[in-house]
Amino acid sequence: MALVFRTVAQLAGVSLSLLGWVLSCLTNYLPHWKNLNLALNEMENWTMGLWQTCVIQEAVGMQCKDFDSFLALPAELRVSRILMFLSNGLGFLGLLVSGFGLDCLRTGESQRDLKRRLLILGGILSWASGVTALVPVSWVAHKTVQEFWDEHVPDFVPRWEFGEALFLGWCAGLSLLLGGCLLHCAACSSHAPLASGHYAVAQTQDHHQELETRNTNLKH
């Protein structure tokens, strides 16, 4: 039972970490962190991401323009760029490290303690990746809510609203956190037994040693 739990926890942890990493990469580059719908022209919508702004028109389609200057961006977008890059890097490292710690990988079967440490390190990296993905997404969402309900802005001025990328970012962060937790649970559970071939060899060696010990005792 412990072996089944350990295997399922490992595979589920790596799968969730992989899902979270892919979603965090999409969140980083999608230009849909904020949406703006113009009441005067319902056929034109604006979107904003970390790297560019886009206008969507029914006749022309989507046209995007990159931001001219990093320093001219609002503070939340500047910090979000850095944190999302960090999240993508930590998530990739977490997948790489935890992959080498899986029991299904035959390499290093005899080094169980090393594999356990790799799983723990992979879980920590997934946690860090999840946190660094949740912080910028939540910060931008908080600023969007503040600006939306700002009483100093006239009612006829269009307001930015949540874009699809924010929800992807929240899903990415939660997936990475949950994946890291499962990797830690797998590392803290009892170790899996040796593979069947190795177990048979070890059992045969023990049997031979026992016979040699009996023969030695009979001679004496």
Coordinates of all heavy atoms in Angstrom, one line a residue, residues 44-117:
E44 N -14.5 47.0 -30.8 CA -13.1 47.2 -30.5 C -12.8 46.9 -29.1 O -13.4 47.5 -28.2 CB -12.6 48.6 -30.9 CG -11.2 48.9 -30.7 CD -10.8 50.3 -31.1 OE1 -10.8 50.6 -32.3 OE2 -10.5 51.1 -30.2
N45 N -11.9 46.0 -28.8 CA -11.5 45.6 -27.5 C -10.0 45.8 -27.4 O -9.2 45.5 -28.3 CB -11.9 44.2 -27.2 CG -13.4 44.0 -27.2 OD1 -14.1 44.9 -26.7 ND2 -13.8 42.8 -27.7
W46 N -9.5 46.2 -26.1 CA -8.1 46.3 -25.9 C -7.7 45.3 -24.8 O -8.4 45.0 -23.9 CB -7.8 47.7 -25.3 CG -7.9 48.8 -26.4 CD1 -9.1 49.4 -26.9 CD2 -6.8 49.4 -27.1 NE1 -8.8 50.3 -27.8 CE2 -7.4 50.4 -28.0 CE3 -5.5 49.3 -27.1 CZ2 -6.7 51.2 -28.8 CZ3 -4.7 50.1 -27.9 CH2 -5.3 51.0 -28.8
T47 N -6.5 44.8 -25.0 CA -5.9 43.8 -24.0 C -4.5 44.3 -23.7 O -3.8 44.9 -24.5 CB -5.9 42.4 -24.5 OG1 -5.0 42.3 -25.7 CG2 -7.3 41.9 -24.9
M48 N -4.0 44.0 -22.5 CA -2.7 44.3 -22.0 C -2.1 43.2 -21.3 O -2.7 42.5 -20.6 CB -2.7 45.5 -21.1 CG -1.4 46.0 -20.6 SD -1.5 47.2 -19.2 CE -2.2 48.6 -20.2
G49 N -0.8 42.9 -21.7 CA 0.0 41.9 -21.0 C 1.3 42.5 -20.4 O 1.4 43.7 -20.2
L50 N 2.2 41.6 -20.1 CA 3.5 42.1 -19.5 C 4.4 42.7 -20.6 O 5.3 43.4 -20.3 CB 4.2 41.0 -18.8 CG 3.5 40.3 -17.6 CD1 4.3 39.2 -17.0 CD2 3.1 41.4 -16.6
W51 N 4.2 42.3 -21.8 CA 5.1 42.7 -22.9 C 4.5 43.5 -24.0 O 5.3 44.2 -24.7 CB 5.6 41.4 -23.6 CG 6.2 40.4 -22.5 CD1 5.6 39.4 -21.9 CD2 7.5 40.5 -22.0 NE1 6.4 38.8 -21.0 CE2 7.6 39.5 -21.0 CE3 8.6 41.3 -22.2 CZ2 8.7 39.2 -20.3 CZ3 9.8 41.1 -21.4 CH2 9.8 40.0 -20.5
Q52 N 3.2 43.6 -24.1 CA 2.6 44.3 -25.2 C 1.1 44.6 -24.9 O 0.5 44.0 -24.1 CB 2.7 43.6 -26.5 CG 2.1 42.2 -26.5 CD 2.4 41.4 -27.7 OE1 3.1 41.8 -28.6 NE2 1.9 40.1 -27.8
T53 N 0.6 45.6 -25.7 CA -0.8 45.9 -25.7 C -1.4 45.5 -27.1 O -0.7 45.6 -28.1 CB -1.1 47.3 -25.4 OG1 -0.4 48.2 -26.3 CG2 -0.7 47.7 -24.0
C54 N -2.6 45.1 -27.1 CA -3.2 44.7 -28.3 C -4.6 45.3 -28.5 O -5.3 45.5 -27.5 CB -3.4 43.1 -28.4 SG -1.8 42.2 -28.3
V55 N -5.0 45.5 -29.7 CA -6.4 46.0 -30.0 C -7.0 44.9 -30.9 O -6.4 44.5 -31.9 CB -6.4 47.4 -30.6 CG1 -5.5 47.4 -31.9 CG2 -7.8 47.8 -30.9
I56 N -8.2 44.6 -30.6 CA -8.9 43.5 -31.4 C -10.1 44.2 -32.1 O -11.0 44.7 -31.4 CB -9.4 42.4 -30.5 CG1 -8.2 41.8 -29.7 CG2 -10.1 41.3 -31.3 CD1 -8.6 40.8 -28.7
Q57 N -10.1 44.2 -33.4 CA -11.2 44.8 -34.2 C -11.7 43.7 -35.1 O -11.0 42.9 -35.6 CB -10.7 45.9 -35.0 CG -10.2 47.1 -34.2 CD -9.5 48.2 -35.0 OE1 -8.9 47.9 -36.0 NE2 -9.7 49.4 -34.6
E58 N -13.0 43.7 -35.3 CA -13.7 42.7 -36.1 C -13.2 42.7 -37.5 O -13.0 41.7 -38.2 CB -15.2 42.8 -36.0 CG -15.8 42.4 -34.6 CD -17.3 42.4 -34.7 OE1 -17.9 42.5 -35.8 OE2 -17.9 42.1 -33.6
A59 N -13.0 43.9 -38.0 CA -12.6 44.1 -39.4 C -11.1 43.8 -39.7 O -10.8 43.2 -40.7 CB -12.9 45.5 -39.9
V60 N -10.3 44.1 -38.7 CA -8.8 44.0 -38.9 C -8.3 42.8 -38.2 O -7.3 42.2 -38.7 CB -8.1 45.3 -38.4 CG1 -6.6 45.2 -38.7 CG2 -8.7 46.5 -39.1
G61 N -8.9 42.4 -37.1 CA -8.3 41.3 -36.3 C -7.5 41.9 -35.1 O -7.7 43.0 -34.7
M62 N -6.5 41.1 -34.7 CA -5.7 41.6 -33.5 C -4.4 42.2 -34.0 O -3.7 41.7 -34.9 CB -5.3 40.4 -32.6 CG -4.4 40.7 -31.5 SD -4.0 39.3 -30.4 CE -5.5 39.1 -29.6
Q63 N -4.1 43.4 -33.5 CA -2.9 44.1 -33.8 C -2.2 44.4 -32.4 O -2.8 45.0 -31.5 CB -3.1 45.4 -34.6 CG -3.6 45.2 -36.0 CD -3.9 46.4 -36.7 OE1 -4.4 47.4 -36.1 NE2 -3.6 46.5 -38.0
C64 N -0.9 44.1 -32.3 CA -0.2 44.2 -31.0 C 1.0 45.1 -31.2 O 1.6 45.2 -32.3 CB 0.2 42.9 -30.5 SG -1.2 41.7 -30.1
K65 N 1.3 45.8 -30.1 CA 2.5 46.7 -30.1 C 3.3 46.5 -28.8 O 2.7 46.5 -27.7 CB 2.1 48.2 -30.2 CG 3.3 49.1 -30.3 CD 2.8 50.6 -30.4 CE 3.9 51.5 -30.5 NZ 4.8 51.5 -29.3
D66 N 4.6 46.2 -28.9 CA 5.4 46.0 -27.7 C 5.6 47.3 -27.0 O 5.6 48.4 -27.5 CB 6.8 45.4 -28.1 CG 6.7 44.0 -28.7 OD1 5.7 43.4 -28.4 OD2 7.6 43.7 -29.5
F67 N 5.8 47.2 -25.7 CA 6.1 48.4 -24.8 C 7.4 48.9 -25.2 O 8.4 48.2 -25.4 CB 6.0 48.0 -23.4 CG 4.7 47.6 -22.8 CD1 4.4 46.4 -22.3 CD2 3.6 48.6 -22.9 CE1 3.2 46.0 -21.8 CE2 2.4 48.2 -22.4 CZ 2.1 47.0 -21.9
D68 N 7.5 50.2 -25.3 CA 8.7 50.9 -25.8 C 9.8 50.9 -24.7 O 11.0 50.7 -25.0 CB 8.5 52.3 -26.2 CG 7.5 52.4 -27.4 OD1 7.6 51.5 -28.2 OD2 6.7 53.4 -27.4
S69 N 9.5 51.0 -23.4 CA 10.5 51.1 -22.4 C 10.1 50.3 -21.2 O 8.9 50.3 -20.8 CB 10.7 52.6 -22.0 OG 11.5 52.7 -20.9
F70 N 11.0 49.6 -20.6 CA 10.8 48.8 -19.4 C 10.6 49.8 -18.2 O 9.7 49.5 -17.4 CB 11.9 47.9 -19.1 CG 11.9 47.1 -17.8 CD1 11.0 46.1 -17.7 CD2 12.6 47.6 -16.8 CE1 11.0 45.4 -16.5 CE2 12.6 46.9 -15.6 CZ 11.7 45.8 -15.4
L71 N 11.4 50.8 -18.1 CA 11.3 51.7 -17.0 C 10.0 52.6 -17.0 O 9.6 53.1 -16.0 CB 12.5 52.6 -17.0 CG 13.9 51.9 -16.8 CD1 15.0 53.0 -16.9 CD2 13.9 51.2 -15.5
A72 N 9.4 52.7 -18.2 CA 8.2 53.5 -18.3 C 6.9 52.7 -17.8 O 5.8 53.3 -17.6 CB 8.0 54.0 -19.7
L73 N 7.1 51.4 -17.6 CA 5.9 50.6 -17.2 C 5.6 50.9 -15.7 O 6.4 51.3 -14.9 CB 6.3 49.1 -17.3 CG 6.5 48.6 -18.7 CD1 6.9 47.2 -18.7 CD2 5.2 48.7 -19.5
P74 N 4.3 50.6 -15.3 CA 4.0 50.7 -13.9 C 4.8 49.7 -13.1 O 5.3 48.7 -13.6 CB 2.5 50.3 -13.9 CG 2.0 50.6 -15.3 CD 3.2 50.3 -16.2
A75 N 4.9 49.9 -11.8 CA 5.8 49.1 -10.9 C 5.3 47.7 -10.9 O 6.1 46.7 -10.9 CB 5.8 49.7 -9.5
E76 N 4.0 47.5 -10.9 CA 3.5 46.1 -10.8 C 3.8 45.3 -12.1 O 4.1 44.1 -12.0 CB 2.0 46.0 -10.6 CG 1.1 46.6 -11.7 CD 0.8 48.1 -11.6 OE1 1.6 48.7 -10.8 OE2 -0.1 48.6 -12.3
L77 N 3.9 45.9 -13.2 CA 4.2 45.2 -14.5 C 5.7 44.9 -14.5 O 6.2 43.9 -15.0 CB 3.8 46.0 -15.7 CG 2.3 46.2 -15.9 CD1 2.0 46.8 -17.2 CD2 1.6 44.8 -15.8
R78 N 6.5 45.9 -14.1 CA 8.0 45.7 -14.0 C 8.4 44.5 -13.1 O 9.1 43.6 -13.5 CB 8.7 46.9 -13.6 CG 8.6 48.1 -14.5 CD 9.7 49.1 -14.3 NE 9.7 49.6 -12.9 CZ 9.1 50.6 -12.4 NH1 8.3 51.3 -13.3 NH2 9.1 51.0 -11.2
V79 N 7.8 44.5 -11.9 CA 8.1 43.4 -11.0 C 7.5 42.1 -11.5 O 8.1 41.0 -11.3 CB 7.6 43.8 -9.6 CG1 7.8 42.6 -8.6 CG2 8.3 45.0 -9.1
S80 N 6.4 42.2 -12.1 CA 5.7 40.9 -12.6 C 6.6 40.3 -13.7 O 6.6 39.0 -13.7 CB 4.3 41.3 -13.1 OG 3.5 41.7 -12.1
R81 N 7.2 41.0 -14.5 CA 8.1 40.4 -15.5 C 9.2 39.6 -14.9 O 9.4 38.5 -15.3 CB 8.7 41.5 -16.4 CG 7.8 42.1 -17.5 CD 8.6 43.0 -18.4 NE 7.8 43.6 -19.5 CZ 8.4 44.3 -20.4 NH1 9.7 44.5 -20.5 NH2 7.6 44.8 -21.4
I82 N 9.8 40.2 -13.9 CA 10.9 39.6 -13.2 C 10.5 38.3 -12.5 O 11.1 37.2 -12.6 CB 11.6 40.5 -12.3 CG1 12.2 41.7 -13.0 CG2 12.7 39.8 -11.5 CD1 12.7 42.8 -12.1
L83 N 9.4 38.4 -11.8 CA 8.9 37.3 -11.0 C 8.4 36.1 -11.9 O 8.6 35.0 -11.6 CB 7.8 37.7 -10.1 CG 8.2 38.6 -8.9 CD1 7.0 39.0 -8.1 CD2 9.2 37.9 -8.0
M84 N 7.8 36.5 -13.0 CA 7.3 35.4 -13.9 C 8.5 34.7 -14.6 O 8.4 33.5 -14.8 CB 6.4 36.0 -15.0 CG 5.0 36.4 -14.4 SD 4.1 35.1 -13.5 CE 3.9 33.9 -14.8
F85 N 9.5 35.4 -15.0 CA 10.7 34.8 -15.5 C 11.3 33.9 -14.4 O 11.7 32.7 -14.7 CB 11.7 35.8 -15.9 CG 11.8 36.1 -17.3 CD1 11.7 37.4 -17.8 CD2 11.8 35.1 -18.3 CE1 11.7 37.7 -19.2 CE2 11.8 35.3 -19.6 CZ 11.8 36.6 -20.1
L86 N 11.3 34.3 -13.2 CA 11.9 33.5 -12.1 C 11.0 32.3 -11.9 O 11.5 31.2 -11.6 CB 11.9 34.4 -10.8 CG 12.6 33.7 -9.6 CD1 14.0 33.4 -9.9 CD2 12.5 34.7 -8.4
S87 N 9.7 32.4 -12.0 CA 8.8 31.3 -11.8 C 9.0 30.3 -12.9 O 9.1 29.1 -12.6 CB 7.3 31.8 -11.8 OG 6.4 30.7 -11.8
N88 N 9.2 30.7 -14.1 CA 9.4 29.8 -15.2 C 10.7 29.0 -15.0 O 10.8 27.8 -15.2 CB 9.4 30.5 -16.6 CG 8.1 31.2 -16.9 OD1 8.1 32.1 -17.7 ND2 7.0 30.7 -16.3
G89 N 11.8 29.7 -14.6 CA 13.1 29.1 -14.4 C 13.0 28.1 -13.2 O 13.5 27.0 -13.3
L90 N 12.4 28.5 -12.1 CA 12.4 27.6 -10.9 C 11.5 26.4 -11.2 O 11.8 25.3 -10.8 CB 11.8 28.4 -9.7 CG 12.7 29.4 -9.1 CD1 11.9 30.2 -8.1 CD2 13.9 28.8 -8.5
G91 N 10.4 26.6 -12.0 CA 9.5 25.4 -12.3 C 10.3 24.4 -13.2 O 10.1 23.2 -13.0
F92 N 11.1 24.9 -14.1 CA 11.8 24.0 -15.0 C 12.9 23.2 -14.2 O 13.0 22.0 -14.3 CB 12.5 24.8 -16.1 CG 13.3 23.9 -17.0 CD1 12.7 23.1 -18.0 CD2 14.7 23.9 -16.9 CE1 13.5 22.3 -18.8 CE2 15.5 23.2 -17.8 CZ 14.9 22.3 -18.7
L93 N 13.6 23.9 -13.3 CA 14.5 23.2 -12.4 C 13.9 22.2 -11.5 O 14.4 21.1 -11.3 CB 15.3 24.3 -11.6 CG 16.3 25.1 -12.4 CD1 17.0 26.1 -11.4 CD2 17.4 24.3 -13.0
G94 N 12.7 22.6 -11.0 CA 12.0 21.6 -10.1 C 11.6 20.4 -10.9 O 11.7 19.3 -10.3
L95 N 11.1 20.5 -12.1 CA 10.8 19.3 -12.9 C 12.0 18.5 -13.2 O 12.0 17.2 -13.1 CB 10.1 19.8 -14.2 CG 8.7 20.3 -14.2 CD1 8.3 20.9 -15.5 CD2 7.8 19.2 -13.8
L96 N 13.1 19.1 -13.5 CA 14.4 18.4 -13.8 C 14.9 17.6 -12.6 O 15.2 16.5 -12.7 CB 15.4 19.4 -14.4 CG 16.7 18.8 -15.0 CD1 16.3 18.1 -16.3 CD2 17.7 19.9 -15.3
V97 N 14.9 18.3 -11.5 CA 15.4 17.7 -10.3 C 14.5 16.5 -9.8 O 15.0 15.4 -9.5 CB 15.6 18.7 -9.2 CG1 16.0 18.1 -7.8 CG2 16.7 19.7 -9.6
S98 N 13.2 16.8 -9.7 CA 12.3 15.8 -9.2 C 12.2 14.6 -10.2 O 12.0 13.5 -9.8 CB 10.9 16.4 -9.0 OG 10.4 16.9 -10.2
G99 N 12.5 14.8 -11.5 CA 12.4 13.7 -12.4 C 13.5 12.7 -12.2 O 13.3 11.5 -12.3
F100 N 14.7 13.1 -11.7 CA 15.8 12.2 -11.4 C 15.5 11.5 -10.1 O 16.2 10.5 -9.8 CB 17.1 13.0 -11.3 CG 17.7 13.3 -12.7 CD1 17.7 14.6 -13.1 CD2 18.2 12.3 -13.5 CE1 18.2 14.9 -14.4 CE2 18.7 12.6 -14.8 CZ 18.7 14.0 -15.2
G101 N 14.6 12.0 -9.3 CA 14.3 11.4 -8.0 C 13.1 10.4 -8.1 O 12.8 9.8 -7.0
L102 N 12.6 10.2 -9.2 CA 11.4 9.2 -9.3 C 11.9 7.8 -9.2 O 13.0 7.4 -9.7 CB 10.7 9.4 -10.7 CG 10.0 10.8 -10.9 CD1 9.4 10.8 -12.3 CD2 8.9 11.0 -9.9
D103 N 11.1 7.0 -8.6 CA 11.4 5.5 -8.4 C 11.4 4.8 -9.7 O 12.1 3.8 -9.9 CB 10.4 4.9 -7.4 CG 10.6 5.3 -6.0 OD1 11.8 5.8 -5.7 OD2 9.7 5.2 -5.2
C104 N 10.5 5.3 -10.7 CA 10.4 4.6 -11.9 C 11.7 4.8 -12.8 O 11.9 4.0 -13.8 CB 9.2 5.0 -12.7 SG 9.2 6.8 -13.1
L105 N 12.5 5.7 -12.4 CA 13.8 5.9 -13.1 C 14.8 4.9 -12.6 O 15.2 5.0 -11.4 CB 14.3 7.4 -13.0 CG 15.5 7.8 -13.9 CD1 15.1 7.8 -15.3 CD2 16.0 9.2 -13.4
R106 N 15.4 4.1 -13.4 CA 16.2 3.0 -13.0 C 17.6 3.5 -12.5 O 18.3 2.9 -11.8 CB 16.4 2.0 -14.1 CG 15.2 1.2 -14.4 CD 14.6 0.4 -13.3 NE 13.5 -0.4 -13.6 CZ 12.8 -1.1 -12.7 NH1 13.1 -1.1 -11.4 NH2 11.7 -1.8 -13.1
T107 N 18.0 4.7 -13.0 CA 19.3 5.2 -12.7 C 19.4 5.5 -11.2 O 18.5 6.2 -10.6 CB 19.6 6.5 -13.5 OG1 19.4 6.3 -14.9 CG2 21.0 7.0 -13.2
G108 N 20.5 5.1 -10.6 CA 20.7 5.4 -9.1 C 19.7 4.7 -8.2 O 19.4 5.2 -7.2
E109 N 19.3 3.4 -8.5 CA 18.4 2.7 -7.7 C 19.0 2.4 -6.3 O 18.3 2.4 -5.3 CB 18.0 1.4 -8.3 CG 17.0 1.5 -9.4 CD 16.5 0.1 -9.9 OE1 17.2 -0.8 -9.7 OE2 15.4 0.1 -10.5
S110 N 20.3 2.2 -6.2 CA 20.9 1.9 -4.9 C 21.1 3.2 -4.1 O 21.3 3.1 -2.9 CB 22.3 1.3 -5.2 OG 23.1 2.2 -5.9
Q111 N 21.0 4.4 -4.6 CA 21.1 5.6 -3.9 C 19.8 6.2 -3.5 O 19.3 7.2 -4.1 CB 21.9 6.6 -4.7 CG 23.3 6.1 -5.1 CD 24.1 7.1 -6.0 OE1 23.5 7.9 -6.7 NE2 25.4 7.1 -5.9
R112 N 19.1 5.5 -2.6 CA 17.7 5.9 -2.2 C 17.7 7.2 -1.5 O 16.8 8.0 -1.7 CB 17.1 4.8 -1.4 CG 16.9 3.5 -2.1 CD 16.2 2.5 -1.2 NE 15.9 1.3 -1.9 CZ 15.3 0.2 -1.4 NH1 14.9 0.3 -0.1 NH2 15.0 -0.9 -2.1
D113 N 18.7 7.4 -0.7 CA 18.7 8.7 0.1 C 18.9 9.9 -0.8 O 18.3 10.9 -0.6 CB 19.9 8.6 1.1 CG 19.8 9.8 2.1 OD1 18.8 10.0 2.7 OD2 20.8 10.6 2.1
L114 N 19.7 9.7 -1.9 CA 19.9 10.8 -2.9 C 18.6 11.1 -3.6 O 18.2 12.2 -3.8 CB 21.0 10.4 -3.8 CG 21.3 11.4 -5.0 CD1 21.6 12.8 -4.5 CD2 22.3 10.9 -5.9
K115 N 17.9 10.0 -4.0 CA 16.6 10.2 -4.7 C 15.6 10.9 -3.8 O 14.8 11.8 -4.2 CB 16.0 8.9 -5.1 CG 16.7 8.3 -6.4 CD 15.9 7.2 -7.0 CE 16.3 6.9 -8.4 NZ 15.4 6.1 -9.2
R116 N 15.6 10.6 -2.5 CA 14.7 11.3 -1.6 C 15.0 12.7 -1.5 O 14.1 13.6 -1.5 CB 14.8 10.6 -0.2 CG 14.0 11.2 0.9 CD 14.1 10.5 2.2 NE 13.4 11.2 3.3 CZ 14.0 12.1 4.0 NH1 15.3 12.4 3.8 NH2 13.3 12.7 5.0
R117 N 16.3 13.1 -1.4 CA 16.7 14.5 -1.4 C 16.3 15.2 -2.7 O 16.0 16.4 -2.6 CB 18.2 14.6 -1.1 CG 18.6 14.1 0.3 CD 20.1 14.2 0.5 NE 20.5 13.7 1.8 CZ 21.8 13.7 2.2 NH1 22.7 14.1 1.4 NH2 22.0 13.3 3.5

